[in-house]
Amino acid sequence: MSIDSPGLVEGCAAGDLLEIDADGLFQVVRRGPNLCIQAFGRPPFDAESLESLNSAFVPLGGLVEAPADRRFIVVTVPAAAGFPAVEAVMERWAASVSVLVEWGFSNVFGPDEEPLNGWHESEA
């Protein structure tokens, strides 16, 4: 069974331990070892864009996914790959595709833009 990062939920990634209340709101109890990157394209991404990003993340151990309409892409990558490597892949890829790309880390900053840094605890 594969456990993937959520496509449209901010604040968590695959491997995080969540506590979910009766209203469906969640709190991260423990951060897992992964980063989650969300990318949105206008117009939606084509199959070649998705495949090129997938190929670029293979060396970092990343998993690249998208719904059938490819209106967004979600990448799960081990935090151990390092921010410089992940950012370099995303920047090169975004510059190479033919759509307007907006991307960002979904589990690195909190609601007030404070760094979460939780994956460092999971490395201990």
Side-chain angles (χ1 to χ4, degrees), residues 10-33:
E10 295 278 328
C12 62
D16 290 351
L17 178 62
L18 306 178
E19 185 175 284
I20 303 171
D21 67 20
D23 294 329
L25 299 174
F26 72 90
Q27 177 178 354
V28 177
V29 176
R30 186 180 72 241
R31 295 240 170 244

Side-chain angles (χ1 to χ4, degrees), residues 40-47 49 68-72 98-100:
F40 301 88
R42 280 179 272 156
F45 301 105
D46 58 26
S49 300
D69 65 6
R70 294 182 301 273
R71 62 192 159 99
F72 63 89
S98 62
V99 301
L100 176 62

Side-chain angles (χ1 to χ4, degrees), residues 41-97:
R42 280 179 272 156
F45 301 105
D46 58 26
E48 293 79 25
S49 300
L50 184 62
E51 183 51 39
S52 68
L53 187 60
N54 185 56
S55 295
F57 268 105
V58 166
L60 299 181
L63 174 66
V64 177
E65 302 174 286
D69 65 6
R70 294 182 301 273
R71 62 192 159 99
F72 63 89
I73 293 174
V74 179
V75 180
T76 303
V77 64
F83 283 98
V86 171
E87 291 169 345
V89 166
M90 290 302 299
E91 292 293 334
R92 276 193 310 272
W93 173 76
S96 74
V97 297

